[in-house]
Amino acid sequence: MKKAKAHFPQIKPIAYEGPKSANALAFKHYDPDEVIDGRTLSAHLRFSIAYWHSFRGTGGDPFGPGTIVRPWEKGRDAVSIALTRMDAAFEFFQKIRAPFWCFHDRDIAPEGRTLAGSNRNLDRLVAHAQDLQQATGVRLLWGTANLFSNPRYMCGAATNPDAHVFAYAAAQVKKALDATKRLGGENYVFWGGREGYETLLNTNLKREQDHLARFLHLAVDYAKSIGFKGQFLIEPKPKEPTKHQYDFDVASGIAFLRTYGLERHFKFNIETNHATLAGHTFQHEIEVAAAAGMLGSIDANAGDELLGWDTDQFNTNVRELTLAMLSILRAGGLGSGGFNFDAKLRRPSIDLADLFHAHIGGMDAYALAFKVARRILADGKFEHFIAARYASFDTGYGRDIEKRRTSLRDLNRLVLTKLGEPKPRSGKQEYLENLLMQYLHQ
Ligand code: XUL
Ligand code: CO
């Protein structure tokens, strides 16, 4: 492949310079090559860049158009612009030292006038991505289909009341699965953008949920038929753009998957800002997925405490990320998942360098959290505290309860004849919060 022209000529690959560095375009905590437990930090964290925000985001919002103008956004036609844009994207992936990327079909290739035309465009861009992946070593964390932007999907895709739209969406997912397989994608994501409702006045909720399950079964069957080995992921979100989305949060996602016999085929892609929109913490969603053995991947971002929508910001809250990392490491990591920066620049952040600052901050914050969480786990203070808190279930009648060897009658007799009133024990929350603070500021 011929050497493409540089789209970020002023910016060199980002180097690790350590916590004391004054260079804003250097990593302070993320050294991709640092070896920990026989693996590089890059292999532990598996950072990924979201094509849609970083290469299709313009800063537009409901009150005004885009503000971000990129120099590569010009060319003869939509396909040639898309090809150049992809060159710029892969140059960025390399310079920011991200080993992975993620995309929706329509992020990388323009829609044509017909589905066949859209598929032809996608083939062009997937071939280009294949070349660029090979030339750079950057890999695909996951692919997905955009089933929410085009007006045909205004009432949902798999949950659309019109079977024609269901069929169209199915055809689009078939193609997106082909593309993900061709690019060696390690996962495939379903985010149910408009798979929900605006009003129950026009909605058959039961039928829509049945259809969504049918759609996912069709995808599972097709993936099997083409030998796609990637992990399927559901990305829960409670609302936005719909008033109510069926994959509300991890707990309702688990119930849905189990109801329809899909639980063996899916794990969860948990997004920080979706968790908080659902009224949960990021760590809560990770714990719920991990408890079900369904922790898959992370969409790394943050909401704003004062705004009630999906602001998709880069997350530099090391305390929040340390708690998340603790739960992830306790669960044994993300396997084939990774940390995908589903995060966008603020509308006035219009410089090319801002794209680097944003990702440097996100990567540094996660690297720091990873290291703090590892220290916490190595010391084992929290683990010991929690283990001691539940120790009464390790022996005697407590163990019998867990092992299903006891009845209400047995326990009744035990309390009346032997145990009497339980002795209250402190939960010690403030002590534990202070302990966490010590680790965070060592
Ligand atoms: C939207 C969102 C999506 C998914 C992929 O809130 O998070 O970008 O990650 O469709
Ligand atoms: Co997301």
Side-chain angles (χ1 to χ4, degrees):
M1 213 163 73
K2 76 173 175 10
K3 184 119 183 66
K5 109 181 211 314
H7 295 279
F8 302 90
Q10 277 86 1
I11 298 176
K12 291 204 259 314
I14 304 302
Y16 169 74
E17 293 186 5
K20 296 212 168 64
S21 167
N23 177 4
L25 287 173
F27 293 121
K28 316 293 181 300
H29 304 284
Y30 177 55
D31 177 358
D33 302 323
E34 181 180 352
V35 176
I36 298 176
D37 284 345
R39 270 202 293 167
T40 61
L41 203 45
S42 163
H44 278 286
L45 294 172
R46 295 166 63 86
F47 288 134
S48 159
I49 308 302
Y51 205 92
W52 51 102
H53 284 313
S54 291
F55 289 89
R56 303 313 309 271
T58 61
D61 70 16
F63 302 93
T67 51
I68 296 171
V69 184
R70 298 305 189 203
W72 53 78
E73 292 289 323
K74 43 183 189 279
R76 279 190 324 279
D77 51 49
V79 170
S80 61
I81 297 172
L83 290 164
T84 310
R85 179 189 299 128
M86 191 174 269
D87 293 336
F90 274 79
E91 184 185 333
F92 176 73
F93 303 160
Q94 276 193 296
K95 287 191 164 165
I96 198 66
R97 321 264 306 269
F100 290 98
W101 68 301
C102 291
F103 71 94
H104 300 82
D105 48 2
R106 303 303 179 239
D107 301 338
I108 61 170
E111 270 201 86
R113 267 182 295 113
T114 61
L115 183 63
S118 300
N119 288 348
R120 269 195 302 278
N121 291 347
L122 190 59
D123 285 339
R124 270 297 287 290
L125 271 298
V126 167
H128 196 48
Q130 220 169 4
D131 290 343
L132 288 165
Q133 286 192 169
Q134 193 148 37
T136 61
V138 175
R139 288 143 66 197
L140 180 63
L141 187 66
W142 50 262
T144 188
N146 179 329
L147 304 178
F148 44 89
S149 295
N150 190 293
R152 80 174 72 85
Y153 296 126
M154 67 183 179
C155 299
T159 61
N160 199 289
D162 183 353
H164 188 157
V165 179
F166 182 105
Y168 198 105
Q172 199 180 319
V173 166
K174 175 191 174 294
K175 186 72 184 171
L177 277 165
D178 291 338
T180 303
K181 174 165 188 264
R182 198 164 145 202
L183 293 172
E186 299 195 20
N187 305 270
Y188 184 91
V189 164
F190 286 92
W191 167 59
R194 295 185 195 272
E195 312 294 23
Y197 60 80
E198 297 299 335
T199 172
L200 287 170
L201 289 172
N202 65 12
T203 301
N204 185 330
L205 181 144
K206 165 84 167 70
R207 246 176 138 172
E208 290 201 358
Q209 290 193 335
D210 289 351
H211 294 168
L212 180 55
R214 192 84 291 279
F215 195 83
L216 298 179
H217 271 294
L218 293 175
V220 167
D221 293 347
Y222 180 70
K224 203 168 156 208
S225 78
I226 60 170
F228 174 65
K229 299 274 184 303
Q231 172 66 51
F232 276 118
L233 300 169
I234 296 272
E235 184 178 323
K237 184 177 182 180
K239 55 190 163 193
E240 196 204 14
T242 54
K243 171 197 176 77
H244 177 89
Q245 192 179 297
Y246 295 130
D247 309 322
F248 191 91
D249 59 2
V250 174
S252 45
I254 292 171
F256 171 82
L257 293 170
R258 288 186 179 156
T259 301
Y260 291 99
L262 285 157
E263 69 276 15
R264 277 190 308 112
H265 305 290
F266 284 83
K267 289 186 175 176
F268 288 92
N269 182 37
I270 296 172
E271 178 162 327
T272 323
N273 205 167
H274 296 180
T276 50
L277 271 179
H280 302 308
T281 62
F282 182 28
Q283 189 187 17
H284 167 91
E285 288 293 78
I286 293 166
E287 285 276 328
V288 176
M294 294 167 96
L295 178 60
S297 199
I298 299 292
D299 263 10
N301 65 15
D304 185 295
E305 280 167 25
L306 301 183
L307 303 175
W309 63 91
D310 197 14
T311 59
D312 284 342
Q313 290 169 237
F314 285 83
N315 197 335
T316 53
N317 182 342
V318 178
R319 186 182 192 280
E320 180 182 41
L321 298 185
T322 299
L323 293 171
M325 230 5 137
L326 272 173
S327 295
I328 292 168
L329 293 177
R330 279 182 189 134
L334 296 175
S336 67
F339 295 93
N340 171 50
F341 290 105
D342 192 355
K344 64 186 178 206
L345 295 170
R346 296 307 86 192
R347 194 164 184 261
S349 299
I350 58 173
D351 293 348
L352 277 180
D354 292 325
L355 197 56
F356 285 88
H357 293 306
H359 286 87
I360 289 170
M363 290 176 168
D364 268 343
Y366 262 98
L368 196 51
F370 177 73
K371 292 178 191 175
V372 177
R374 279 176 55 89
R375 250 192 294 130
I376 290 175
L377 291 174
D379 284 356
K381 288 189 182 142
F382 290 92
E383 311 306 294
H384 283 130
F385 181 89
I386 294 172
R389 197 159 180 243
Y390 294 87
S392 60
F393 283 95
D394 293 342
T395 55
Y397 65 90
R399 190 169 163 76
D400 290 342
I401 293 171
E402 283 198 352
K403 295 286 172 200
R404 305 179 188 189
R405 288 192 300 239
T406 191
S407 67
L408 280 193
R409 260 190 207 90
D410 298 337
L411 294 171
N412 174 56
R413 194 175 330 110
L414 200 61
V415 173
L416 290 177
T417 60
K418 257 174 80 184
L419 297 177
E421 189 61 27
K423 190 163 147 268
R425 275 195 305 151
S426 171
K428 294 218 166 292
Q429 182 170 336
E430 296 78 2
Y431 157 76
L432 294 167
E433 282 171 351
N434 295 352
L435 191 57
L436 176 65
M437 189 157 59
Q438 261 188 306
Y439 282 102
L440 287 169
H441 299 285
Q442 247 165 30

